[in-house]
Amino acid sequence: MGQVGRPMQALSPKEMAVEAGRRPVEALAEAAAGLATAQDLADALDLLADGARAALGADALVVRVLDAEGRLEARAVAPPGSVLGAELAATRVPADVVAAGDLPGPTGRAAVRAGAAGVLAVPALAETRVVGSIEAVRVGSPFDEHELVLAKLAATQLVLAVRGHAPGGAMTATRRQERLLGLAGDALASVGNVQRASSQAVRIAVEATGARAGALWRRSASGAAELAAADGLPQDEAAVVAALAEDALRERPRPTLLADARLPAGLRQVAVIPLGQRPVGVLQLFFPDGDAPSVEELGRLTSFAARSAHALREGERLEELVGELERTRTLLRVIAEASSRLSLAHTLETAVDRIAELLPLRRVGLYLREEDRLRAAAGRALPRGHLDLASVLLEAMLGPLRARRAVHVVRDGVEPGLERVRAALRSTGETGAVAVPLQIHDELIGLLVAYPRGGALAETDTSLLAALAAQLAVAVQNARLHEQSQQLARERSTALRSAREAGRRLGSLYEISSAFSHSFSLERTGDAIAGAIAEALGVDAVVLRVPDARGELLVPRAVRVPDEALRPALDAVLARRQALRRRRGGAPELLDVETARRLGGAHALLVPFLARGSTVALVPVLAKGELLAELTIVSLDPARPLDADALETARTLAQQAALALENARLHQQLTRFAETMRESLLPQEAPTVRGLDIGHRYEPAAQVELGGDVFDYLELPDGRLAVVLGDVTGHGIEAAADMAMGKFVFRSLARQHAAPSAFLAQANDVVAAEIKGGAFITMAYLTVDSQGRISCAGAGHPWPRLVRRDGRVEELPCSGLALGIAPEETYDEVQVELEPGDALVVYTDGLVESRRDGELYGVERLDAVLGASAALGAQDLADRLVAECRAFAGGELPDDCAIVVIRRP
């Protein structure tokens, strides 16, 4: 009795395991208790669906019952408002499919579309006859044997529910219709895909009303009816049906029953239901003569129409947002593409061409400021007099319009201060232009002038153009700095050594710039923002909330409470979620008691503090009009309220926070790209060679930027295994390209020149001809047979380590000039034979060049670990080396490292 009510953290591991196993059984037990008191079969099935889904931890669960036609019909889904639930509702499948142990088609297709990892279907058997089924889908992980037993228990409860409610268990027609129409509304409300949701809604509405066919039309941008989905509608009647839809969109604000002789005999009664007071669409249901819906049924369709209208509006808005997001991503890729080569001319020409293609622009011009004058640097289809127009625009943006992010000028406009600009515009023959500055900090380095189609540019397009101009300014400045650095290197470098030194200096500058532009991860960025604001304002608490994936809630990303004594009280308030509200403008606002109560949620919990004189500010973090986050800033002391100066400081910090969050999101995109690039160039698993144990490990650096380490395996025609490790100078896209070239050289030359010395001589000639000046590749190449006989040669690469079974570590001296430095080099070959228990370890220099407080990890530490780990298997030894190096460096590796271990058991 003493353990009743103990918290989970007070339980022993064994007790926690028992508790975790008990909860699913309790969920089914509660469902079983509810079955006995359920009013009818429909209620019983709903209870069973909820209990079984909780027991199995499923994302969606459907309960099917045998209908009069001998098919299994979906009679309950859980959760009822989910996309999967709406998709599976009212579907029917053959009973013999489930009886045979196969997965029903609708459930299988829904699982594939959801990317589910687990799916099961268990028949409910009354003796040997199938009376129903339990089907479950889970996205995160497969179902295990224990969960399969729980599903079978739920199937047994289903048999009892069907038997117990057999006399009055069938759902009434009215209730069934209301339920199915509700599901149809849910299908449209889950507009992840408007077209698929519309098809689902039409199909359910047809089944719910007993119609022969149905169609759902949307109002297009031109106001015409556009077919969104149809069920059972003959192709030959499309024109007549479209005309009826057009009439409904123009003339019928309420559901109407029509008779149209132009339609086939079985479809002449048409229920036309406009969606919304100002219809955004129309639903048509077609009935045989004499079988039209009643007034009451039309009333139920009215409720469905209202829900559908709202859902369609939200769906269209979502499609617009998705389109805007995709275009934003595309234009951000434009800047990345433009600046990838760090060439000023390439940057400008690429940016102009792609921006003109992706935005509604007729002409685009890019101008750079040199000694207070503009120079036309790049352009597309520019009109005569464009440079004069750009020059007067520059004067205006340096003078009275300097605070604007963009300047719109229209030929027939009347805005004061733009008279000279309008005169210059008229001389070009254009009707309108938009100018945005290229600005670095407070310095205006150039101008982007766009000529929109029709003379005007939408606000969203203008904001996007201004954001792109800010990014382009950085790219231009980087390209200028790069070209200046290259020129300086050419002037001061005449020998290979000085060229290498200049390359290393340039690489260091690039890495520093890269680290700045990548910023932090989203988690660390959130913590940094909250901490910086708390410290700058001297407040008691700051919470940064970000929109969730559905855009409905603001969830805490970071909470900062400087005084640990206040943390317990404030954490309980600030760690709560808050409903997202649409607000106008980006100004901070002070929260009062009345507003806090009205907003509810976490804000309502602040009412007692506000009543005692505390002040709370809500500060939106916006980028291009999009809400990236919201800051809640709390000052508990009435003597230190948040005043106007504090709010202005908070607003300034929120603008900086917006840039930091944008950088963090870009950091995540770059991380995903780097991981994909690495995976495409590295082998996924070690080869299997009789008589040998082979392991490998590739560990990327903590930075996002791509490194140049590469390793690969290849089986030679004589049965030997060829192994190569290489390290390309530098980082980033160019290093990745050289890394890919190294892999291609290995794959193309190894079969023709199997001997390590011959291979490296041929590879050196190829790399010397292809690699850029000042770059090179270090490489170790070896062949090994099943008896452990190894031949090895090296090109500027760290010497492999030979680990004897008794723990002695020896160097394998493989010397030679790195690839790409000088052509027609020769390389020596070294042979060694592995005795049973011996291992050969080949690695890149990232393993030994990790640092801690300026001290290198070094070869001595490496040999010590190898000697102590001589008994480990190949893969375990590779993993051990990386773990030791990472621990020495404090958890993060400063450079990529690759390791291959060949061991003779």
Side-chain angles (χ1 to χ4, degrees):
M1 293 296 291
Q3 292 193 8
V4 175
R6 288 171 63 193
M8 285 294 290
Q9 59 266 29
L11 299 178
S12 68
K14 182 176 180 180
E15 291 172 325
M16 293 179 68
V18 172
E19 179 71 10
R22 180 171 59 85
R23 289 179 178 175
V25 178
E26 285 185 346
L28 286 178
E30 292 175 3
L35 297 182
T37 59
Q39 296 296 319
D40 54 25
L41 181 59
D43 288 338
L45 297 181
D46 286 340
L47 288 170
L48 180 56
D50 288 338
R53 188 191 73 84
L56 296 174
D59 293 295
L61 185 138
V62 58
V63 177
R64 299 187 187 274
V65 175
L66 194 69
D67 64 12
E69 299 177 4
R71 296 170 67 84
L72 293 177
E73 179 184 13
R75 294 283 296 275
V77 294
S82 69
V83 176
L84 282 173
E87 188 170 346
L88 294 173
T91 57
R92 298 195 302 168
V93 300
D96 57 358
V97 172
V98 177
D102 295 330
L103 187 66
T107 305
R109 290 189 292 272
V112 171
R113 281 192 287 269
V119 59
L120 58 80
V122 177
L125 300 175
E127 297 178 353
T128 60
R129 187 172 68 93
V130 176
V131 298
S133 68
I134 300 290
E135 299 161 20
V137 176
R138 185 161 66 195
V139 175
S141 61
F143 293 105
D144 57 25
E145 291 297 326
H146 176 66
E147 290 163 334
L148 179 59
V149 173
L150 292 174
K152 291 179 179 178
L153 178 59
T156 303
Q157 292 180 348
L158 174 58
V159 174
L160 297 176
V162 172
R163 284 180 172 176
H165 293 276
M171 190 184 297
T172 65
T174 299
R175 178 169 179 180
R176 174 178 173 80
Q177 186 180 71
E178 290 174 346
R179 181 177 179 140
L180 290 174
L181 285 172
L183 289 171
D186 290 340
L188 270 176
S190 60
V191 285
N193 182 308
V194 175
Q195 182 176 1
R196 193 173 71 193
S198 300
S199 299
Q200 186 81 349
V202 170
R203 182 179 62 79
I204 297 176
V206 167
E207 183 170 344
T209 59
R212 288 283 182 86
L216 192 146
W217 301 78
R218 294 166 60 184
R219 185 189 294 273
S220 67
S222 64
E226 179 181 280
L227 184 63
D231 185 74
L233 188 65
Q235 292 283 344
D236 297 341
E237 311 303 329
V240 176
V241 174
L244 293 175
E246 294 279 1
D247 292 343
L249 288 176
R250 287 194 304 267
E251 303 172 3
R252 297 187 179 89
R254 294 182 179 180
T256 307
L257 186 63
L258 303 175
D260 197 308
R262 294 174 294 175
L263 293 171
L267 302 174
R268 287 180 180 169
Q269 297 290 322
V270 187
V272 182
I273 302 97
L275 307 182
Q277 291 297 321
R278 183 183 180 278
V280 297
V282 61
L283 174 68
Q284 299 169 324
L285 297 172
F286 300 86
F287 300 87
D289 296 344
D291 196 20
S294 65
V295 174
E296 181 183 357
E297 290 171 328
L298 280 178
R300 287 194 289 274
L301 289 171
T302 302
S303 174
F304 164 70
R307 297 173 68 184
S308 301
H310 174 72
L312 282 177
R313 292 190 187 97
E314 291 299 311
E316 290 169 356
R317 177 177 171 275
L318 179 60
E319 288 179 341
E320 291 175 0
L321 290 176
V322 169
E324 284 295 322
L325 177 60
E326 184 57 34
R327 190 172 60 164
T328 301
R329 288 174 175 170
T330 302
L331 288 173
L332 287 175
R333 287 196 294 270
V334 169
I335 299 302
E337 176 187 346
S339 58
S340 61
R341 286 171 49 183
L342 287 178
S343 162
L344 182 58
H346 175 77
T347 296
L348 299 178
E349 291 295 341
T350 302
V352 164
D353 288 342
R354 297 301 304 279
I355 290 173
E357 292 171 3
L358 295 169
L359 286 175
L361 306 174
R362 297 177 63 244
R363 316 176 193 275
V364 179
L366 265 173
Y367 306 86
L368 296 182
R369 187 182 178 197
E370 296 176 354
E371 298 180 356
D372 293 331
R373 299 186 64 182
L374 282 183
R375 173 179 66 85
R380 176 167 174 169
L382 291 173
R384 55 182 174 79
H386 65 90
L387 184 57
D388 293 337
L389 173 61
S391 298
V392 294
L393 279 167
L394 176 65
E395 293 177 10
M397 298 187 80
L398 288 172
L401 305 181
R402 59 182 174 273
R404 295 193 186 182
R405 292 184 63 200
V407 173
H408 284 255
V409 58
V410 181
R411 182 175 58 191
D412 300 325
V414 295
E415 183 178 352
L418 293 179
E419 292 80 5
R420 292 187 61 220
V421 178
R422 285 193 290 271
L425 177 64
R426 283 191 288 271
S427 69
T428 67
E430 296 293 321
T431 58
V434 179
V436 293
L438 304 183
Q439 193 162 335
I440 297 294
H441 303 300
D442 294 329
E443 180 186 2
L444 196 151
I445 66 170
L447 205 64
L448 190 156
V449 181
Y451 300 85
R453 297 190 185 98
L457 199 61
E459 182 179 349
T460 56
D461 290 335
T462 302
S463 298
L464 186 56
L465 194 64
L468 282 168
Q471 298 288 334
L472 185 59
V474 175
V476 168
Q477 193 75 344
N478 285 345
R480 279 178 163 177
L481 290 174
H482 176 72
E483 291 187 351
Q484 292 170 5
S485 299
Q486 283 190 326
Q487 180 63 29
L488 179 62
R490 283 192 296 268
E491 292 173 354
R492 300 178 62 182
S493 303
T494 56
L496 180 61
R497 182 175 180 81
S498 60
R500 288 178 182 171
E501 291 296 327
R504 280 195 287 269
R505 287 195 300 271
L506 182 60
S508 298
L509 289 173
Y510 177 78
E511 289 181 5
I512 293 170
S513 174
S514 177
F516 170 78
S517 62
H518 289 161
S519 186
F520 305 96
S521 67
L522 280 173
E523 289 74 18
R524 291 194 303 184
T525 299
D527 290 338
I529 291 171
I533 292 177
E535 181 177 354
L537 298 181
V539 293
D540 297 298
V542 175
V543 59
L544 178 80
R545 293 186 176 92
V546 299
D548 64 3
R550 300 172 66 91
E552 297 175 352
L553 296 173
L554 289 169
V555 298
R557 172 71 73 179
V559 177
R560 179 59 63 93
V561 181
D563 187 348
E564 290 295 328
L566 298 174
R567 180 174 292 277
L570 290 177
D571 270 356
V573 176
L574 300 179
R576 299 288 187 91
R577 299 183 177 191
Q578 179 67 36
L580 190 149
R581 59 182 176 128
R582 307 299 175 189
R583 55 185 294 173
R584 296 180 179 178
E589 64 174 304
L590 288 174
L591 196 63
D592 56 32
V593 171
E594 181 180 350
T595 304
R597 285 177 177 155
R598 177 172 53 82
L599 294 178
H603 295 337
L605 298 177
L606 292 168
V607 168
F609 299 93
L610 294 170
R612 290 194 291 268
S614 301
T615 51
V616 178
L618 303 179
V619 184
V621 180
L622 303 171
K624 302 187 290 291
E626 176 190 1
L627 181 68
L628 300 182
E630 184 177 73
L631 289 161
T632 303
I633 304 173
V634 180
S635 177
L636 296 176
D637 189 352
R640 294 186 294 106
L642 296 170
D643 56 14
D645 290 338
L647 293 182
E648 185 58 33
T649 301
R651 182 173 187 169
T652 302
L653 292 172
Q655 293 172 349
Q656 297 175 356
L659 178 60
L661 289 173
E662 283 289 280
N663 284 344
R665 294 203 300 192
L666 179 59
H667 173 93
Q668 284 192 338
Q669 295 173 3
L670 290 175
T671 300
R672 289 192 291 268
F673 170 77
E675 291 172 351
T676 302
M677 191 71 173
R678 291 186 190 110
E679 290 176 0
S680 68
L681 292 177
L682 296 175
Q684 300 304 305
E685 59 184 20
T688 301
V689 179
R690 182 174 56 85
L692 297 178
D693 179 18
I694 300 175
H696 65 233
R697 180 72 180 268
Y698 175 83
E699 193 71 12
Q703 63 187 14
V704 172
E705 197 172 29
L706 283 167
D709 289 12
V710 64
F711 70 95
D712 203 359
Y713 306 99
L714 182 66
E715 184 178 353
L716 299 175
D718 60 5
R720 289 181 298 162
L721 180 70
V723 183
V724 67
L725 270 84
D727 188 358
V728 180
T729 56
H731 297 84
I733 298 300
E734 290 183 353
D738 290 340
M739 174 181 173
M741 179 182 66
K743 180 171 182 176
F744 170 78
V745 167
F746 170 64
R747 288 274 170 175
S748 61
L749 295 181
R751 288 190 177 92
Q752 301 175 21
H753 306 281
S757 57
F759 169 83
L760 288 181
Q762 294 295 324
N764 178 64
D765 290 343
V766 174
V767 173
E770 297 295 335
I771 202 166
K772 68 175 184 178
F776 56 87
I777 300 176
T778 71
M779 185 171 288
Y781 174 83
L782 62 91
T783 61
V784 58
D785 61 18
S786 60
Q787 302 302 313
R789 289 186 290 266
I790 295 175
S791 295
C792 180
H797 202 78
W799 289 358
R801 320 305 288 176
L802 184 59
V803 185
R804 298 299 185 182
R805 62 182 176 181
D806 60 3
R808 288 180 295 112
V809 180
E810 304 170 7
E811 291 181 334
L812 196 62
C814 299
S815 301
L817 191 64
L819 304 182
I821 294 178
E824 299 182 2
E825 280 293 311
T826 59
Y827 296 88
D828 295 329
E829 206 170 294
V830 178
Q831 282 80 33
V832 67
E833 185 170 346
L834 297 181
E835 299 295 335
D838 291 350
L840 185 70
V841 179
V842 195
Y843 59 93
T844 57
D845 58 8
L847 183 65
V848 294
E849 291 186 358
S850 295
R851 293 179 181 272
R852 181 175 62 193
D853 299 330
E855 182 181 5
L856 280 174
Y857 182 75
V859 175
E860 291 79 9
R861 287 188 177 86
L862 172 63
D863 287 350
V865 174
L866 289 173
S869 309
L872 293 178
Q875 189 59 52
D876 290 340
L877 180 55
D879 294 340
R880 173 73 179 276
L881 293 176
V882 171
E884 292 289 335
C885 182
R886 184 186 293 279
F888 176 82
E892 292 186 346
L893 298 180
D895 197 4
D896 297 4
C897 75
I899 304 169
V900 173
V901 179
I902 303 172
R903 188 173 186 273
R904 188 177 179 190

